[in-house]
Amino acid sequence: MRVLFLITLSAFSSFVHAQSRTISYHAADKELVQVFKDLEKEYKIHFAYAVEEIKGKKVSINVENQEIDSVLEDILTANQLSFEVIEENFIAVTKLSSLLVRMSTFDNENEETLPFATARIKGTNQGYIADVKGNFEFVLANPSETVLEISFLGYEKQEIKI
């Protein structure tokens, strides 16, 4: 049976870009609260967050001269969190309430796109249909623990955990 291949699954949170400033930071499996403390000390920024929302979350990061907003987007989205710049150096961190999902589908043998493939949230009747180029773009209102079932007639169904 043919295998459905998915490419470019991107999840983005809504956020306001932090000022253009680059940072360098290295951490291996470090508590997120400690990462915040390190960044606050080194870069004169301040984070506001609910302790219970970040408790136990860990980060591994190795960046050199990267934009701070890009770094925060990467480490926070991976932990189901988002951020908003309130003032120049004050950043509010909250639970991720929604995700923008962008995804393309194609046949991995001949690399042809799969127009009108379907994506369904497992265990629900909620679903989405790809465009004529096999691309999806939709917002998941509550992405935590969501599993997408991707299908196309004549192909094996694929599951993706968000």
Side-chain angles (χ1 to χ4, degrees):
M1 177 169 268
R2 293 182 186 173
V3 176
L4 174 72
F5 189 74
L6 306 171
I7 188 168
T8 315
L9 173 62
S10 303
F12 300 96
S13 61
S14 298
F15 66 93
V16 177
H17 287 282
Q19 62 186 1
S20 290
R21 174 173 24 174
T22 61
I23 65 170
S24 296
Y25 187 76
H26 310 280
D29 205 31
K30 192 178 237 186
E31 293 281 337
L32 187 55
V33 68
Q34 187 60 51
V35 171
F36 286 163
K37 288 178 183 179
D38 294 347
L39 294 175
E40 286 176 333
K41 183 178 178 182
E42 181 71 24
Y43 296 100
K44 306 294 188 256
I45 55 179
H46 306 284
F47 291 95
Y49 51 86
V51 174
E52 64 274 0
E53 289 180 4
I54 68 167
K55 187 177 182 179
K57 295 186 184 285
K58 295 193 175 196
V59 173
S60 292
I61 186 170
N62 186 13
V63 296
E64 288 290 334
N65 297 321
Q66 276 194 356
E67 297 275 336
I68 191 169
D69 59 339
S70 175
V71 173
L72 289 175
E73 180 180 356
D74 290 346
I75 64 175
L76 295 176
T77 301
N79 282 289
Q80 298 289 321
L81 299 167
S82 64
F83 73 96
E84 181 178 354
V85 177
I86 305 299
E87 292 181 15
E88 187 175 328
N89 292 327
F90 191 81
I91 300 168
V93 176
T94 59
K95 275 187 173 178
L96 188 61
S97 58
S98 64
L99 283 177
L100 172 61
V101 176
R102 291 184 179 143
M103 177 172 47
S104 298
T105 57
F106 63 92
D107 183 308
N108 69 336
E109 291 177 15
N110 60 25
E111 297 185 13
E112 290 181 8
T113 61
L114 301 175
F116 310 111
T118 60
R120 184 176 71 86
I121 298 174
K122 188 173 184 176
T124 73
N125 292 329
Q126 186 176 355
Y128 308 93
I129 300 174
D131 63 18
V132 314
K133 295 179 181 179
N135 298 321
F136 290 94
E137 184 172 304
F138 54 89
V139 175
L140 289 176
N142 187 5
S144 182
E145 305 287 327
T146 298
V147 175
L148 292 177
E149 295 177 329
I150 313 300
S151 59
F152 191 79
L153 188 61
Y155 290 78
E156 286 183 33
K157 185 185 310 181
Q158 299 289 308
E159 290 189 1
I160 301 172
K161 183 177 179 196
I162 302 297

